[in-house]
Amino acid sequence: MSGLPPDTIHLVRQKADLVEVVAEKVVLRKQGKNFVGLCPFHNDRKPSFQVSPSKQIYKCFSCGAGGDVLRFVSQMEHLSFAEAVRKLAQRYHVPLPEGSRQERQAYERQLSHQEKLLEILALAADFYQHALRSQVGAAARQYLYSRHLSEETLQKFQVGFAPPGWQSLYEYLVNQKRQPVKLLEDAGLLVARQQGSGHYDRFRHRIMLPIFDGQGRVIGFAGRALGDEHPKYLNSPETELFNKSQVVYGLNFAREAILKADQALVVEGYFDVMALHQAGIQQTVAAMGTALTPQQVKTLLRYTESKRLIFNFDADRAGLNAATRAIESIEEQARRGEVELRILTLPAGKDADEFLREHPVSEFQTLLNQAPLWLDWQIEQVLAGRDLSRASDFQQAHQAFVRLLAGLGGQWRSLYLHRVAELLSRGNGRLSRDLEEELRRGVRQYRWAKPEQPSPAKGSKLLQSESHLLQIFLHFCEYRREIREALLERELQFSFRPHRDLWQRILELVYAQPELETQEEPLLTALRTICAHDEQLNERLSHLLWLDENTRVALMRPRIVVRAAIANMELEIRQKRYRYWTQLWDQAFSEGNTALAAQYQASIQQEYQAIQSLQRDVQLSLEDMLETPLAEDWI
């Protein structure tokens, strides 16, 4: 027995939403009145698991598992019946009359406080809605109607208006409704004055958009300035109920549509969500910031079987930057195939709200259906605004494509290497083949070089080698061609970001003006001019562009320094390859695949011999530095 009163158990069953609970563990798809998915209790290969929202029961017609929400939680998380009741009771704010008196009182106080916060926020939402429809909300109504939002949509999303006074909500909830000031402050509705005593309304002269939890309860607000107030949007602070990194705006309305459409459309703005829902595209949600958090992504993926997310951000520069940040937040998942990520860009730089005012919804739906994969979209962004007939633009595009394609897996990488080479060649078949091979080498070099920053302890010798190589390139023009050819021949790349950035700028300048490679001062002057206009860049690169006395002494024997630096850079890559092949050998050997293990063993031996040779070269170079005469220019 659970030791819990039957009334409490009944209340937990009544308040808990089985579909919501199951959807956290199983991707569900709407099928008639029920939901179907792969059974989590056996190795299900076709959807044999059904959930009935009306009956609040589930059943697998393959393995026979079935029951109510308590049974599901108990089976899924290996909990006792009582533990399952407690878990759901806490989630759905049902008080439990058990445990020690102190524990029970503390638990009930927490639940009571949360219930009171929900009650306060519901009252605030009612107040804002009433204000919108009163005389004080006339300008706000006019603004909303100018955005073509219907009364039905405004009521669905419970849109309201916060009057311009400093204590309008305070007057209503504290003075009239006798609600505690501390409770309003905990709900994020009031702010304590920094000077003197008292509180004032957090939201003033703003259109109010309630933010809902999964059960459709108000847990916070977003306020849109009606005038010139800043910020333009003001969200509720983090509270006991509201955590913006976990909430997806509009999901309570979009959940079933996402299941039906098998996709979630993520837009940038709250008004975009409302406009698209009004137009019938109800699988639309918005993040509570410019990028989705891992928790928000996880929440959305529960409702789409194909794991399809479509980002639609504004086509202006800010929107493109927001799209790039959003892609970065789930790029690794997309590369691994865990998310089918697509990007929708609307023509003429419009957001969804603006587009729907001027075009029929069918045109938006067509663009939505044609939204390219995130990688295709990023390829378009790399090429946008670049003239490939110019050497500098071509080189920038080439480097950007290498970085973009380096993280892809085998088949995808081959496909996109071919596609990018065709784009860069502009239809020249022979050039396309050469570019594809060149891109392949660049990607391989980039993958081995691994552009992540080494730790200071591990990377100190490598950091010094790269710094010295760049310093000699800049201050000894007679070694420039030798250094550039050595890096290209050995497929080496700088590991530290400031060094990569400087090398990229050097190549751009040299490709645009080849004569700079043989002239010391013009190249240095050009780079110093660039850094003079960028304080952060100047701070990172000044030690390379201007040499102090200690560095000048270290570079007295430039040829030996170049030799040691190149050897150190290659040594870092060879050691990384050695670890990689060893890991594969271990895996093949443990699986009993002796033929494959033998192939890996050959690669391990090859890398080992190269490492031994490079270590001798580095040591020999250091010894030679003691015997080699100083460069004449430095005596």
Side-chain angles (χ1 to χ4, degrees):
M1 297 297 290
S2 67
L4 296 168
D7 289 347
T8 301
I9 298 172
H10 175 72
L11 187 59
V12 170
R13 282 196 176 105
Q14 192 177 46
K15 283 203 168 189
D17 181 355
L18 177 62
V19 175
E20 183 178 76
V21 172
V22 172
E24 293 182 349
K25 307 293 184 182
V26 180
V27 174
L28 295 176
R29 178 168 49 85
K30 191 76 180 291
Q31 189 177 82
K33 295 181 179 180
N34 297 330
F35 291 89
V36 299
L38 297 175
C39 179
F41 301 114
H42 78 285
N43 188 20
D44 199 4
R45 296 187 178 180
K46 62 179 182 178
S48 56
F49 185 82
Q50 291 200 11
V51 179
S52 171
S54 58
K55 297 179 181 178
Q56 287 289 298
I57 59 173
Y58 67 92
K59 176 70 176 179
C60 176
F61 291 92
S62 180
C63 72
D68 63 5
V69 67
L70 292 172
R71 177 67 175 164
F72 180 83
V73 172
S74 178
Q75 279 190 303
M76 197 70 206
E77 303 189 24
H78 307 289
L79 302 176
S80 68
F81 180 79
E83 289 171 332
V85 174
R86 292 189 187 95
K87 184 178 180 69
L88 289 172
Q90 185 172 11
R91 173 172 176 170
Y92 290 96
H93 311 299
V94 178
L96 293 177
E98 67 160 339
S100 69
R101 182 178 179 182
Q102 291 80 6
E103 289 174 345
R104 186 168 64 250
Q105 288 176 342
Y107 183 74
E108 289 178 351
R109 279 196 301 270
Q110 181 186 10
L111 291 179
S112 176
H113 187 251
Q114 291 176 349
E115 292 291 346
K116 288 176 181 177
L117 289 178
L118 290 168
E119 181 183 353
I120 286 288
L121 290 163
L123 287 171
D126 289 341
F127 170 80
Y128 294 138
Q129 289 181 80
H130 181 269
L132 177 65
R133 286 159 180 82
S134 68
Q135 185 176 354
V136 74
R141 289 198 306 275
Q142 186 61 38
Y143 172 80
L144 292 167
Y145 294 152
S146 73
R147 300 194 70 147
H148 300 270
L149 293 173
S150 68
E151 187 63 32
E152 181 182 358
T153 297
L154 296 178
Q155 290 182 8
K156 172 182 175 179
F157 286 89
Q158 298 182 31
V159 179
F161 175 65
W166 285 85
Q167 288 193 318
S168 300
L169 184 66
Y170 182 97
E171 174 67 26
Y172 175 70
L173 289 180
V174 177
N175 294 344
Q176 293 185 33
K177 292 294 184 180
R178 302 298 179 186
Q179 295 292 339
V181 171
K182 181 64 168 62
L183 203 59
L184 271 73
E185 189 177 356
D186 290 346
L189 297 170
L190 297 183
V191 179
R193 297 185 186 278
Q194 292 184 352
Q195 296 181 347
S197 60
H199 294 74
Y200 59 88
D201 294 353
R202 178 181 299 276
F203 300 102
R204 305 176 306 281
H205 200 219
R206 291 179 179 272
I207 292 172
M208 299 301 291
L209 310 173
I211 299 166
F212 305 93
D213 67 5
Q215 296 173 259
R217 301 175 301 187
V218 179
I219 57 174
F221 291 95
R224 201 267 188 204
L226 193 58
D228 297 328
E229 295 87 354
H230 293 283
K232 183 177 179 180
Y233 280 95
L234 178 65
N235 288 336
S236 291
E238 300 279 313
T239 69
E240 194 172 327
L241 298 175
F242 176 63
N243 183 336
K244 70 177 183 179
S245 67
Q246 298 179 2
V247 177
V248 179
Y249 179 75
L251 183 58
N252 58 307
F253 300 116
R255 196 160 42 206
E256 288 198 18
I258 293 172
L259 285 163
K260 184 177 180 180
D262 195 20
Q263 63 178 217
L265 174 60
V266 182
V267 295
E268 193 172 3
Y270 305 109
F271 283 96
D272 292 333
V273 173
M274 289 189 283
L276 285 162
H277 275 251
Q278 181 173 286
I281 302 177
Q282 299 187 0
Q283 67 268 33
T284 308
V285 297
M288 298 300 299
T290 56
L292 288 174
T293 65
Q295 180 59 45
Q296 289 169 327
V297 171
K298 183 179 178 182
T299 298
L300 287 173
L301 293 182
R302 292 171 188 157
Y303 303 104
T304 164
E305 190 172 11
S306 65
K307 309 296 185 185
R308 183 179 300 140
L309 300 184
I310 304 175
F311 287 170
N312 173 216
F313 291 100
D314 296 352
D316 58 14
R317 176 50 52 190
L320 293 176
N321 290 338
T324 301
R325 289 193 298 273
I327 290 172
E328 288 173 354
S329 68
I330 59 172
E331 184 174 341
E332 286 305 312
Q333 291 172 276
R335 288 183 186 277
R336 293 194 299 265
E338 297 172 7
V339 180
E340 183 189 315
L341 178 60
R342 294 179 176 271
I343 310 296
L344 169 61
T345 303
L346 299 176
K350 297 183 183 298
D351 59 29
D353 184 22
E354 292 172 327
F355 185 88
L356 289 171
R357 290 183 224 163
E358 301 174 11
H359 302 269
V361 67
S362 58
E363 288 189 26
F364 185 94
Q365 186 64 58
T366 299
L367 292 170
L368 181 62
N369 295 339
Q370 296 172 350
L373 287 169
W374 66 280
L375 198 57
D376 294 310
W377 181 85
Q378 289 202 311
I379 289 172
E380 293 174 5
Q381 300 310 304
V382 169
L383 294 175
R386 284 197 168 104
D387 180 0
L388 295 181
S389 64
R390 295 177 54 192
S392 58
D393 282 5
F394 182 91
Q395 182 65 20
Q396 289 173 6
H398 186 282
Q399 292 297 322
F401 283 139
V402 167
R403 291 192 296 271
L404 183 62
L405 302 180
L408 294 179
Q411 290 184 339
W412 280 102
R413 188 164 64 248
S414 296
L415 171 66
Y416 277 97
L417 280 169
H418 182 71
R419 182 177 301 178
V420 165
E422 288 183 335
L423 292 170
L424 287 174
S425 69
R426 293 171 291 166
N428 186 323
R430 182 176 179 180
L431 178 60
S432 176
R433 290 190 293 273
D434 292 342
L435 283 171
E436 183 174 347
E437 185 56 36
E438 185 178 328
L439 282 165
R440 195 179 303 278
R441 287 197 301 270
V443 166
R444 186 166 57 247
Q445 171 187 345
Y446 189 90
R447 286 166 65 85
W448 287 123
K450 190 64 176 174
E452 64 188 21
Q453 297 286 6
S455 65
K458 178 182 177 182
S460 57
K461 185 180 292 186
L462 181 63
L463 175 64
Q464 184 183 64
S465 295
E466 291 186 3
S467 296
H468 284 171
L469 197 65
L470 286 167
Q471 287 162 339
I472 290 173
F473 187 94
L474 292 171
H475 297 275
F476 294 80
C477 60
E478 63 269 29
Y479 292 97
R480 286 177 182 167
R481 184 173 180 179
E482 177 184 338
I483 291 172
R484 185 166 56 80
E485 290 180 350
L487 292 174
L488 184 63
E489 179 184 351
R490 302 194 188 198
E491 298 185 349
L492 300 178
Q493 189 177 53
F494 292 98
S495 297
F496 293 84
R497 181 173 294 278
H499 296 166
R500 290 200 307 276
D501 292 344
L502 176 60
W503 186 245
Q504 179 62 36
R505 291 175 185 270
I506 290 171
L507 292 179
E508 289 172 5
L509 289 170
V510 170
Y511 277 123
Q513 303 176 62
E515 66 276 9
L516 290 179
E517 190 170 57
T518 58
Q519 301 172 3
E520 180 178 324
E521 284 305 319
L523 179 60
L524 275 172
T525 301
L527 290 168
R528 287 168 177 170
T529 302
I530 292 172
C531 289
H533 295 89
D534 188 330
E535 185 176 342
Q536 291 185 344
L537 185 66
N538 186 61
E539 184 178 345
R540 293 199 304 269
L541 302 181
S542 61
H543 69 289
L544 301 174
L545 300 176
W546 287 271
L547 301 183
D548 58 26
E549 192 61 33
N550 289 334
T551 305
R552 296 172 72 87
V553 171
L555 301 180
M556 282 182 176
R557 302 171 178 85
R559 186 172 300 280
I560 300 300
V561 175
V562 168
R563 183 178 171 184
I566 292 291
N568 263 322
M569 291 173 68
E570 185 175 359
L571 183 62
E572 177 75 13
I573 294 174
R574 292 285 187 177
Q575 289 171 337
K576 191 174 297 183
R577 290 177 182 172
Y578 180 85
R579 292 192 295 270
Y580 174 74
W581 292 123
T582 302
Q583 183 180 4
L584 291 181
W585 180 87
D586 286 341
Q587 182 178 347
F589 189 79
S590 64
E591 293 173 353
N593 192 337
T594 54
L596 189 59
Q599 294 179 23
Y600 293 145
Q601 180 64 40
S603 297
I604 292 171
Q605 187 63 29
Q606 180 181 352
E607 297 299 338
Y608 178 79
Q609 291 173 355
I611 288 170
Q612 295 298 308
S613 176
L614 286 167
Q615 287 176 336
R616 286 194 296 270
D617 285 348
V618 171
Q619 185 63 36
L620 181 62
S621 297
L622 293 173
E623 292 170 354
D624 284 353
M625 289 181 70
L626 301 176
E627 302 174 2
T628 304
L630 302 179
E632 292 184 3
D633 294 344
W634 294 73
I635 297 177

